[in-house]
Amino acid sequence: ENARTFSDIANGKYIQVHGHRSVDTKITLAPGVHDINGGLGNNGNLFALKVTNSGHSIFEITNTHIDLCNPREITQLPDSPNDAIASIMENKNINKNEFGDIVSLNFKRSVFYSRKWNELSIKARGLFVNKNSKNIVARSYDKFFNLNEFESHTMVNLIHTVKFPVKEFKKENGYLGIVGYDVEHSKVLYCSKSSLNGEHAKWLRKLLEPAEVFLNGFLAGGEYSLVFEVCLPEEDPHIIEYSEPRLYLLDIVENQIKFKSLPDIESFITKLRKHGVNVYAKELISVAENAEDLIRNVHNTKSVQYEGGVYVDSNNFMFKVKSDYYTKWKQLRSYKDTKLYNSSIKVSALAFDTEAFEFLSWCKRTYTQEEAKHKSIIRLRKEFYGQSEK
């Protein structure tokens, strides 16, 4: 916007050269306006503008020494799938929970908080293995990260590393449900992120119960896992409100150590619906063909009133973008459950906007600490808005 304004005013009489940090990949932002900061310090390219008496010329020198800051340590998986599974199972940073012959593998909280990821720990996220055969019986996605969570995930770096086109899917606000199959025991497995017998796994099974015979036939070879987002407004409310239970099929994933999903799942969703399951497809929000599209799409995601977006490039590289709305109410949920009744609300005013401050004041004035803790942030938000409208 500023570049175009200057260009219109200058009308070809002047040129503007600057080195502002930018997420754009173009040297020329508008006629006569050039940004020569290509992000070389963050492994971008060298931009240059040459000015002579006869005019000026622009050029770009490609950086051939790219070594982007990566959130993972250099710990490569063994080539053999069985050896890779054994390495994950033996790793001290991975929790192992046994359910008979099935073991769930999930990275420890210490890995999450210390942010010391490697090729082993990113696999251990909703990963279930038969400990006898070492075969994967159910799996979800590798761990993937938020925009700006690491230097490698800043927009400046992402626009140079993703492979276009980049698709954005709506991020629903529920819990991860996985359906796999244990060939050894000829059994469909209903899983949450780390359990086969917890409440979340049981809720998933109940939603899919009408199609159990169909699922048994589809999954019997042990080749695939079904990955769902499960949104249950009564049993498991989060931040975003849903008017009814919702089940979203996110992907059908191959039960291999390297992540790979089936390209078309629409026909499978149709079959599930025919068998009486109320299931939905993940919603495609946008497609970025270039850096400019991606920057615009991410900007739009920040302003929505749902959780955000999952961005997937043409190499299956994924990153998340959370909306400002979601981030704000997630922070407020945490605050009302931890600090609200033990400190002055004025302290929190530095971190929140006016509405958030008013919400916290109302919450503390209306409910005791115990009452507030037992109400979901969705319920409290609705009550607050209802009170505010009177």
Side-chain angles (χ1 to χ4, degrees):
E1 182 93 24
N2 291 334
R4 287 195 297 271
T5 300
F6 176 88
S7 181
D8 291 342
I9 295 172
N11 197 26
K13 295 180 180 178
Y14 306 97
I15 63 171
Q16 184 185 84
V17 185
H18 61 79
H20 294 302
R21 291 172 65 89
S22 174
V23 293
D24 214 321
T25 56
K26 301 192 295 285
I27 300 174
T28 300
L29 304 180
V33 182
H34 311 289
D35 180 5
I36 57 170
N37 186 339
L40 189 63
N42 287 320
N43 300 295
N45 295 330
L46 177 65
F47 291 177
L49 180 78
K50 184 178 181 179
V51 181
T52 66
N53 290 333
S54 58
H56 64 274
S57 57
I58 56 178
F59 55 93
E60 178 178 355
I61 301 171
T62 302
N63 181 0
T64 58
H65 300 283
I66 294 177
D67 182 24
L68 293 179
C69 175
N70 197 294
R72 309 176 197 169
E73 295 175 346
I74 307 299
T75 305
Q76 296 299 325
L77 283 170
D79 293 332
S80 161
N82 279 1
D83 289 345
I85 292 297
S87 295
I88 294 172
M89 293 181 72
E90 293 165 7
N91 192 280
K92 64 180 181 180
N93 291 317
I94 292 170
N95 283 322
K96 292 164 277 293
N97 296 311
E98 295 194 14
F99 305 89
D101 292 331
I102 306 302
V103 181
S104 77
L105 303 168
N106 283 273
F107 54 79
K108 291 183 177 179
R109 282 190 171 272
S110 57
V111 174
F112 181 83
Y113 289 119
S114 67
R115 312 176 86 73
K116 290 183 178 178
W117 301 100
N118 58 43
E119 297 299 328
L120 298 175
S121 56
I122 65 164
K123 295 288 180 186
R125 180 182 182 271
L127 180 65
F128 294 78
V129 174
N130 183 303
K131 66 181 182 181
N132 301 322
S133 66
K134 298 294 189 297
N135 288 332
I136 295 173
V137 295
R139 67 156 298 170
S140 61
Y141 301 105
D142 294 351
K143 171 67 178 173
F144 59 99
F145 303 96
N146 289 303
L147 178 72
N148 295 322
E149 191 167 350
F150 297 94
E151 184 67 23
S152 59
H153 283 57
T154 61
M155 186 56 72
V156 171
N157 282 331
L158 283 172
I159 59 176
H160 291 290
T161 56
V162 296
K163 183 180 178 183
F164 292 101
V166 178
K167 295 179 180 179
E168 175 199 0
F169 295 95
K170 182 179 179 181
K171 176 72 176 73
E172 301 294 345
N173 188 215
Y175 70 87
L176 187 67
I178 310 158
V179 181
Y181 195 86
D182 180 17
V183 175
E184 185 177 350
H185 298 96
S186 303
K187 184 180 180 182
V188 176
L189 302 174
Y190 298 89
C191 323
S192 63
K193 198 179 294 183
S194 60
S195 176
L196 286 173
N197 56 16
E199 279 189 320
H200 293 83
K202 291 175 182 176
W203 291 332
L204 175 62
R205 180 171 189 166
K206 186 175 181 181
L207 290 170
L208 290 168
E209 211 165 30
E212 188 153 14
V213 174
F214 166 67
L215 291 175
N216 190 83
F218 178 80
L219 297 170
E223 296 178 69
Y224 303 108
S225 292
L226 311 176
V227 184
F228 294 93
E229 188 86 7
V230 188
C231 304
L232 299 176
E234 293 298 323
E235 300 90 337
D236 191 46
H238 289 248
I239 306 297
I240 305 302
E241 183 178 6
Y242 290 83
S243 59
E244 60 179 2
R246 282 274 179 142
L247 187 63
Y248 295 89
L249 179 60
L250 304 179
D251 271 304
I252 301 177
V253 181
E254 291 187 6
N255 285 337
Q256 302 295 330
I257 197 68
K258 183 177 180 180
F259 178 84
K260 187 178 180 182
S261 60
L262 296 186
D264 179 22
I265 61 173
E266 292 293 335
S267 59
F268 188 83
I269 290 173
T270 300
K271 290 175 183 176
L272 276 179
R273 282 181 164 272
K274 285 182 179 178
H275 283 85
V277 177
N278 190 23
V279 62
Y280 297 83
K282 59 186 178 182
E283 183 179 349
L284 179 65
I285 299 297
S286 68
V287 179
E289 299 290 346
N290 51 48
E292 190 174 347
D293 288 348
L294 184 60
I295 294 164
R296 182 183 62 249
N297 294 345
V298 166
H299 176 76
N300 290 341
T301 301
K302 298 289 285 183
S303 63
V304 300
Q305 290 203 352
Y306 49 84
E307 182 172 343
V310 174
Y311 287 76
V312 186
D313 83 350
S314 299
N315 284 329
N316 271 329
F317 171 79
M318 304 168 71
F319 67 93
K320 297 177 284 189
V321 178
K322 303 291 188 180
S323 71
D324 293 338
Y325 176 84
Y326 172 84
T327 301
K328 167 183 166 178
W329 284 101
K330 186 177 181 182
Q331 288 175 328
L332 287 171
R333 181 182 66 176
S334 175
Y335 199 91
K336 68 97 176 171
D337 287 340
T338 56
K339 300 176 182 178
L340 178 58
Y341 293 87
N342 302 318
S343 63
S344 168
I345 302 175
K346 292 181 179 179
V347 176
S348 70
L350 298 173
F352 299 114
D353 57 24
T354 303
E355 181 189 55
F357 179 73
E358 291 174 353
F359 169 79
L360 291 173
S361 301
W362 168 84
C363 190
K364 192 171 184 177
R365 191 171 61 246
T366 308
Y367 292 108
T368 67
Q369 182 174 6
E370 209 51 37
E371 288 171 335
K373 201 161 189 176
H374 283 87
K375 282 180 175 278
S376 73
I377 195 68
I378 296 172
R379 175 73 179 273
L380 288 171
R381 183 173 61 219
K382 289 181 73 173
E383 289 182 14
F384 169 71
Y385 283 153
Q387 176 260 343
S388 298
E389 290 166 4
K390 291 178 182 178

